[in-house]
C-alpha cells in the first residue's frame, strides 16, 4: 500500500561550488557558493532529493525540523508543514544578509517547508510514476523560458589560487554586450536581465542602452537591488521607459516602490519588497508593484508558489521567478512549478549559467533556445551523482565559507567600501 511507505531517514549534506567574482549592490560574490542537498529515504528504498540554501543558519533550522518529519508518509505535506512551523526556532547569533534569503530568519519555516516539500514531491512522483508537474495540476507548457542573467564582474577573485572563470571582465557597456553575446550564444536566451546597483546609474543605463542597440527587440530588465534612492529611481525612469520590460527593485520598501510607481509608466517588479503573503497584501493596497518574482525556496515551496500565482492573477499582477546561485536540482524544481503556472508572463531568472559544477547525474541541465524542457520521468526527473556530491561536500569542508558575506568579500578589494544602501 502506498500509504504504508514512510520516510525513514533524512540526510542533509552542505556543499560548496565555485562561483564567479560577480558584483552586486552588497559587494561581490565569494569564490564559493553554498547549498544544502537533502535526501529523503523511504521504507521501500527510494530517495527523494531537494536543494536549498547552505548557510549556517539554514543548516541549523533544517537540523531542528529533521527529526519531526522522519516517520511521515511522503504524501503528508500538510502535516509536515504544521510540524515544521511548530518546531523551527530562531538560531542564536544568526547574521542576516539582505541578498542571501538563506539567512533571513523570519522565513525559516517557509524555507524548511520548501526544502522538505520538494523532496517529498519527488518521492510522490516516483511512487505514482508521474513527474512533479503532474502533482501540481499538470503542465501548461513543456519548456520553461529563462533569461540571460548578466552581472558586472571582475576578471578574477581576490587572492590566490583561484583560477579565472571563462567570462572575463564585465564592467564597460562593450564588455556587458560581449557577456550577453556569449551567454545567448551558449544557451539561446531570449530576454536579458542586468544585475545593477553597482555603478553610478548613468553607467548602468548606458549598459542597458548598449544592450538594446546590440539586441533590438530583446526584452530587457535592470535590477539595482534597492540600491537607488527614490529620487534617483524617479530621475532614471524616463530614460529607461523605452528600454525596459520591467524595472526591478530599484528602490527600497513597499512605500518607496509605491511612490515610484506614481512617477513611471514602467511596470515595477520585485523579489525584495513582496516576499511573504503579508507583504503581498500590503503591496497590493499600496500599489507598489506590477510583477512579483517568486522563489519557491523562501515562499514555502512549489504549492505556495502556485498559490502566489493565483493571488497575482486575482489582483492583476504578473508573476515570474527569482534566483540565487544554485545547481540543477533547484533548476528542475523551478522548471516543474513554472511549467504548471498558466499566468507566468516573463522568462524566469536563473544564475545557472554562472555555475560550472553539478551535483546531478549526467552533468549540467541543457537549455534549448533559452528554455529548460520538462523531463517526462517520474518525480523531479534528476538523480544525484554521488561522487559529485562527495566532492562538493569536501569543497564545503575545505573552503571555510559558512555564511554568504558579499560585503566582507568586497572589502578585500576596497577596504573602505561602506556597503550602505541605497548608495546612489
Ligand atoms: O546573487 O548577487 C546575486 C543577486 O543579487 C541575488 O542575491 C539576488 O537575490 O538575484 C537576486 C535578485 O534578483 O535580486
Ligand atoms: Mg531582483
Amino acid at each position: 500500500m502506498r500509504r504504508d511507505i514512510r520516510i525513514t531517514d533524512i540526510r542533509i549534506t552542505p556543499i560548496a561550488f565555485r562561483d564567479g567574482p560577480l558584483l552586486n549592490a552588497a559587494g561581490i560574490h565569494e569564490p564559493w557558493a553554498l547549498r544544502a542537498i537533502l535526501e529523503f529515504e523511504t521504507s521501500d528504498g527510494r530517495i527523494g532529493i531537494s536543494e536549498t540554501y547552505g548557510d549556517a543558519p539554514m543548516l541549523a533550522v533544517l537540523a531542528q525540523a529533521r527529526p519531526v518529519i522522519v516517520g511521515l508518509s511522503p504524501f503528508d505535506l500538510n502535516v509536515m508543514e504544521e510540524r515544521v512551523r511548530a518546531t523551527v526556532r530562531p538560531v542564536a547569533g544568526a547574521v542576516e544578509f539582505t541578498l542571501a534569503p538563506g539567512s533571513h530568519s523570519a522565513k525559516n519555516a517557509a524555507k524548511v517547508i520548501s526544502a522538505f516539500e520538494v523532496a517529498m514531491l519527488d518521492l510522490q512522483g516516483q511512487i505514482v510514476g508521474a513527474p512533479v508537474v503532474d502533482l501540481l495540476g499538470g503542465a501548461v507548457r513543456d519548456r520553461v523560458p529563462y533569461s540571460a542573467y548578466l552581472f558586472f564582474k571582475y576578471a578574477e577573485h581576490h587572492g590566490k589560487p583561484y583560477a579565472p572563470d571563462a567570462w572575463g571582465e564585465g564592467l564597460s557597456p562593450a564588455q556587458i554586450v560581449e557577456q550577453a553575446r556569449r551567454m545567448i550564444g551558449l544557451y539561446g536566451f531570449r530576454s536579458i536581465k542586468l544585475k545593477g546597483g553597482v555603478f553610478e546609474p548613468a553607467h548602468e543605463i548606458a549598459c542597458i542602452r548598449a544592450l538594446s542597440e546590440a539586441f533590438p527587440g530583446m526584452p530587457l530588465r535592470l535590477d539595482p537591488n534597492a540600491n537607488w534612492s527614490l529620487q534617483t529611481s524617479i530621475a532614471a525612469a524616463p530614460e529607461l521607459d523605452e528600454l525596459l520590460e520591467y524595472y526591478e527593485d530599484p528602490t527600497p520598501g513597499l512605500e518607496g516602490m509605491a511612490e515610484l510607481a506614481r512617477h513611471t509608466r514602467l511596470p515595477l517588479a520585485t523579489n525584495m519588497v513582496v516576499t511573504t503573503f503579508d507583504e503581498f497584501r500590503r503591496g497590493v493596497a499600496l500599489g507598489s508593484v506590477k510583477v512579483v518574482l517568486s522563489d519557491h525556496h523562501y515562499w514555502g515551496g512549489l504549492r505556495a508558489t502556485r498559490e502566489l500565482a493565483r493571488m497575482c492573477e486575482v489582483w492583476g499582477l504578473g508573476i515570474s521567478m527569482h534566483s540565487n546561485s544554485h545547481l540543477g536540482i533547484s533548476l528542475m524544481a523551478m522548471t516543474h512549478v513554472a511549467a504548471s503556472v498558466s499566468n507566468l508572463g516573463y522568462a524566469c531568472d536563473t544564475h545557472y549559467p554562472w555555475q560550472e559544477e553539478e551535483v546531478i547525474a549526467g552533468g549540467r541541465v541543457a537549455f534549448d533556445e533559452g528554455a529548460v524542457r520538462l523531463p517526462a520521468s517520474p518525480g523531479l526527473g534528476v538523480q544525484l551523482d554521488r561522487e559529485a556530491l562527495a566532492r562538493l561536500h569536501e569543497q564545503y569542508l575545505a573552503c571555510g565559507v559558512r555564511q554568504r558575506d558579499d560585503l566582507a568579500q568586497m572589502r578585500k578589494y576596497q577596504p573602505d567600501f561602506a556597503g550602505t544602501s541605497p548608495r546612489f
Side-chain angles (χ1 to χ4, degrees):
M1 269 291 285
R2 184 192 298 166
R3 292 292 313 174
D4 295 338
I5 301 172
R6 298 282 134 183
I7 297 164
T8 49
D9 193 15
I10 297 178
R11 284 187 291 280
I12 301 164
T13 309
I15 59 168
F17 50 86
R18 287 190 296 279
D19 200 10
L22 309 181
L23 293 152
N24 62 22
I28 187 165
H29 285 206
E30 294 160 279
W32 299 99
L34 307 180
R35 296 296 268 178
I37 303 302
L38 275 56
E39 293 173 82
F40 279 42
E41 202 169 317
T42 58
S43 48
D44 66 341
R46 297 175 204 271
I47 307 270
I49 58 175
S50 173
E51 174 187 338
T52 186
Y53 310 105
D55 308 65
M58 183 66 189
L59 296 178
V61 285
L62 287 168
Q64 285 170 11
R66 182 190 165 280
V68 297
I69 304 309
V70 172
L72 289 184
S73 153
F75 290 87
D76 282 335
L77 294 176
N78 296 331
V79 177
M80 176 276 285
E81 290 197 15
E82 276 180 9
R83 291 192 184 177
V84 169
R85 285 208 181 88
T87 307
V88 296
R89 301 172 304 280
V91 178
V95 182
E96 295 204 6
F97 168 60
T98 333
L99 293 186
S103 67
H104 298 177
S105 51
K107 299 193 180 68
N108 279 348
K111 289 182 294 180
V112 175
I113 288 168
S114 170
F116 287 5
E117 185 217 47
V118 170
M120 290 167 77
L121 286 172
D122 186 27
L123 285 171
Q124 289 183 20
Q126 293 177 37
I127 292 165
V128 304
V132 165
V133 68
D134 283 5
L135 306 170
L136 302 172
V140 293
R141 59 185 65 79
D142 57 7
R143 319 160 65 247
V144 171
Y146 288 87
S147 59
Y149 194 157
L150 312 183
F151 275 85
F152 291 111
K153 70 182 289 291
Y154 294 148
E156 289 181 34
H157 279 293
H158 185 275
K160 289 192 187 303
Y162 304 110
D165 64 23
W167 296 88
E169 187 179 79
L171 301 175
S172 67
Q175 288 173 326
I176 289 295
V177 167
E178 191 40 45
Q179 190 185 99
R181 276 198 211 291
R182 181 162 198 272
M183 201 174 278
I184 290 169
L186 285 170
Y187 305 112
F189 297 118
R190 292 177 174 179
S191 55
I192 299 178
K193 161 170 173 167
L194 174 62
K195 172 59 59 182
V198 175
F199 297 114
E200 285 296 332
H203 179 73
E204 299 191 351
I205 294 168
C207 291
I208 290 288
R209 199 174 295 286
L211 287 167
S212 147
E213 282 158 15
F215 301 93
M218 180 89 79
L220 303 176
R221 308 121 184 217
L222 175 64
D223 176 10
N225 271 131
N227 216 6
W228 293 3
S229 69
L230 177 58
Q231 206 184 3
T232 301
S233 306
I234 292 173
E239 295 194 65
L240 293 167
D241 246 7
E242 302 303 322
L243 297 172
L244 295 185
E245 173 182 41
Y246 57 64
Y247 196 11
E248 182 176 336
D249 283 314
T251 202
L254 283 169
E255 286 78 11
M257 290 284 273
E259 185 56 27
L260 172 60
R262 288 189 270 279
H263 290 85
T264 178
R265 290 182 303 179
L266 280 167
L268 302 186
T270 189
N271 59 273
M272 296 184 81
V273 297
V274 176
T275 63
T276 63
F277 285 103
D278 181 51
E279 288 170 348
F280 183 96
R281 187 177 47 74
R282 290 192 283 132
V284 165
L286 288 164
S288 304
V289 295
K290 285 280 188 318
V291 182
V292 179
L293 305 175
S294 172
D295 184 329
H296 74 268
H297 301 91
Y298 63 75
W299 269 97
L302 307 189
R303 294 176 313 141
T305 296
R306 284 189 45 78
E307 284 161 11
L308 173 64
R310 179 57 58 88
M311 298 283 280
C312 287
E313 194 179 349
V314 170
W315 292 100
L317 305 182
I319 181 148
S320 190
M321 309 257 170
H322 159 265
S323 145
N324 281 119
S325 304
H326 66 88
L327 297 181
I329 303 172
S330 282
L331 183 63
M332 292 322 295
M334 291 161 72
T335 299
H336 280 278
V337 69
S340 81
V341 169
S342 50
N343 52 327
L344 184 88
Y346 306 88
C348 302
D349 286 351
T350 179
H351 285 228
Y352 198 65
W354 295 105
Q355 265 59 80
E356 296 163 1
E357 297 178 279
E358 242 319 344
V359 74
I360 54 174
R364 292 169 55 70
V365 175
F367 287 93
D368 170 21
E369 297 182 347
V372 175
R373 277 192 184 282
L374 263 181
S377 41
L380 285 173
V382 286
Q383 287 79 39
L384 280 175
D385 173 337
R386 301 212 155 267
E387 240 172 69
L389 180 67
R391 188 175 66 250
L392 269 52
H393 179 59
E394 283 304 316
Q395 290 182 173
Y396 172 82
L397 295 176
C399 77
V401 180
R402 291 296 175 265
Q403 194 164 341
R404 176 175 166 180
D405 192 346
D406 298 23
L407 173 61
Q409 183 68 11
M410 192 63 190
R411 287 188 175 142
K412 295 181 185 166
Y413 300 75
Q414 216 177 298
D416 63 347
F417 182 76
T420 46
S421 182
R423 197 156 63 245
F424 303 103

